[in-house]
Amino acid sequence: MVAFAAGILGRWSLQRKKTKRILLDHYYRLARTTRWRFIHNHLCRWRYSTRYQVPSSFMFRNVELEINSMCNRTCSYCPNVAAKRPLGYMEESLFRKIIAELAEIDFDGSVSYHFYGEPLLDKRLLDFVEYTARHVPKCQTVIYSNGDFLTLDLFREYIRRGVGIFWITQHDNCVPDHLRHILDEATDEERRHIDVHFANQITITNRSGLITSIQVPSKALPVACDWPIGTLVITLNGNVVPCCNDYMETEVVGNVRTQSLAKVWSSDRFERFRAALTNGDRTTSKLCAACDYVPSPSSLRRIVPR
C-alpha cells in the first residue's frame, strides 16, 4: 500500500512539473512573439528592483568569482593551453565586499569560485565557502573542479563548512582511484554533494576563437545567448566580463572594487550588450562574433527580446 501511494504521488509530481513546463513554454512563446514582451520586461524590471534592488529587466542567478587564476592542467580545449592569465589571487577584502552585497539583497542563486583556475589550489577556499554559506544562507555554493586535489576527509570538511555541490569534470575521461574512493566511502547523503562527469560528455566551445582547433564561424551566429542574462562573472581584480568566454577580459563592463554589483549589472553598457544578444545580434562585439556557443533549446525558449 505504501509503495502504491508513493507511486501515485511520484506520478502526480511528474505530471505537475510537466504541466508547469508546458504553461511556462506557452507564456514565453507569447512574450517572444507578441508585444507582450514589453509588459514582460516591465514586470521583470519591477520584480528585480523590488526583490533584489537591481534596476534591470535581467537578474543574475549565478555569480562566478575568480578567487585564483592558477590551474594544474593545460587541457587542449581550454585557453590555458596556449595563453596564460596573470597569476594571482582575489584580495580577501574584495571577496568580502562581494559577499556583503549579495547578503544585502538576500541572494538565492548560486555562488562558485572559478574562472579558468582550479579553486582547490587556493588554501582559502574552505574559509570562503564557510563565509559565503554563513552570510548568504539562501545561496548554493558550488565548486567547479578537476578533482585532482580532493580527498575524502577534505570532501567531508567542505560539506561541514556548507558546500552545496562539487561539480567535478574528469578530463582524463575516467574515474581515478582517489575519486572512486570518495564515491565508494561517501554516505548517500554525502553523495548528494558531488557530481562527477567526463570531459567527453560536455559541449566544447571555441571560447570565442581562442581554441584554434575549433573553427570560428565565418559570420556571427544569428542566435540569442543566455550567458550575460543570468550570470555575473567577476575576475580576481574585480572586473566584470560578459561571460566566461572572455578569457582575456576584452569586454569589461565595470569593476566591483569601486562600484556596486547592482550598478555594474544594470549599467547602460551591460544593458545594451544584453539587449543585442536577446535579439540574436552578435555583431556588436568581437567576443560574441567569434563565439560558437549555442544555448540549449529549452534555454532559447526562455529568452525574451528587449
Side-chain angles (χ1 to χ4, degrees):
M1 179 62 71
V2 173
F4 176 76
I8 292 295
L9 289 174
R11 286 194 292 273
W12 179 78
S13 179
L14 288 174
Q15 183 60 43
R16 185 176 64 174
K17 290 180 180 178
K18 181 179 179 181
T19 300
K20 181 180 179 180
R21 186 171 62 251
I22 291 173
L23 290 175
L24 281 173
D25 282 344
H26 281 310
Y27 171 83
Y28 278 101
R29 182 166 62 249
L30 185 70
R32 287 197 321 272
T33 59
T34 71
R35 292 182 64 81
W36 179 258
R37 73 176 184 273
F38 298 110
I39 298 176
H40 167 85
N41 286 323
H42 179 76
L43 289 174
C44 285
R45 186 180 183 88
W46 173 82
R47 178 192 175 196
Y48 299 145
S49 296
T50 304
R51 168 65 179 83
Y52 300 106
Q53 295 81 59
V54 175
S56 173
S57 299
F58 307 99
M59 179 58 195
F60 51 89
R61 300 298 304 158
N62 312 294
V63 178
E64 298 182 356
L65 306 177
E66 184 186 29
I67 62 169
N68 71 288
S69 59
M70 288 73 75
C71 187
N72 61 303
R73 289 186 175 238
T74 51
C75 302
S76 62
Y77 40 82
C78 175
N80 282 332
V81 73
K84 292 294 180 183
R85 291 181 50 71
L87 300 182
Y89 297 88
M90 176 179 285
E91 293 178 2
E92 189 168 339
S93 59
L94 176 58
F95 172 81
R96 290 176 180 269
K97 176 184 183 294
I98 294 167
I99 298 303
E101 292 188 30
L102 293 177
E104 286 178 7
I105 63 174
D106 199 20
F107 182 64
D108 54 0
S110 70
V111 176
S112 54
Y113 310 88
H114 73 289
F115 188 41
Y116 285 90
E118 167 52 50
L120 288 180
L121 287 174
D122 194 329
K123 302 304 182 184
R124 307 170 301 170
L125 183 57
L126 271 170
D127 292 335
F128 281 179
V129 168
E130 183 177 28
Y131 190 87
T132 305
R134 184 168 68 249
H135 289 84
V136 197
K138 290 184 181 179
C139 82
Q140 182 184 50
T141 55
V142 184
I143 297 177
Y144 290 85
S145 170
N146 56 38
D148 291 350
F149 304 102
L150 192 62
T151 65
L152 180 60
D153 288 342
L154 187 58
F155 173 58
R156 285 175 169 163
E157 180 64 13
Y158 272 104
I159 294 175
R160 190 184 72 80
R161 298 285 191 104
V163 76
I165 189 168
F166 269 93
W167 188 257
I168 304 293
T169 301
Q170 261 305 295
H171 301 281
D172 299 323
N173 296 313
C174 64
V175 181
D177 291 342
H178 73 285
L179 284 183
R180 175 57 60 192
H181 176 68
I182 294 173
L183 296 173
D184 289 344
E185 295 297 322
T187 65
D188 289 342
E189 173 60 27
E190 288 170 340
R191 277 193 287 271
R192 292 178 54 249
H193 295 276
I194 188 168
D195 190 314
V196 179
H197 57 283
F198 303 134
N200 60 12
Q201 296 173 327
I202 61 178
T203 301
I204 305 299
T205 69
N206 69 4
R207 297 298 182 184
S208 294
L210 289 177
I211 307 303
T212 57
S213 60
I214 302 178
Q215 186 175 6
V216 173
S218 58
K219 59 180 180 179
L221 300 178
V223 180
C225 181
D226 57 345
W227 267 103
I229 293 174
T231 302
L232 179 64
V233 181
I234 305 174
T235 65
L236 59 85
N237 58 8
N239 283 339
V240 174
V241 293
C243 78
C244 65
N245 287 325
D246 195 0
Y247 180 87
M248 302 304 296
E249 299 180 71
T250 60
E251 293 279 358
V252 176
V253 294
N255 188 289
V256 298
R257 187 188 298 276
T258 57
Q259 301 168 286
S260 68
L261 303 184
K263 187 174 182 62
V264 174
W265 180 260
S266 58
S267 66
D268 289 342
R269 183 178 180 185
F270 212 172
E271 290 284 275
R272 289 195 301 270
F273 195 98
R274 286 190 291 258
L277 287 176
T278 60
N279 285 284
D281 181 5
R282 300 192 181 194
T283 63
T284 59
S285 164
K286 291 182 179 180
L287 179 75
C288 299
C291 183
D292 66 343
Y293 167 71
V294 176
S296 68
S298 59
S299 295
L300 281 172
R301 288 197 296 269
R302 301 293 171 87
I303 300 176
V304 178
R306 286 290 300 274

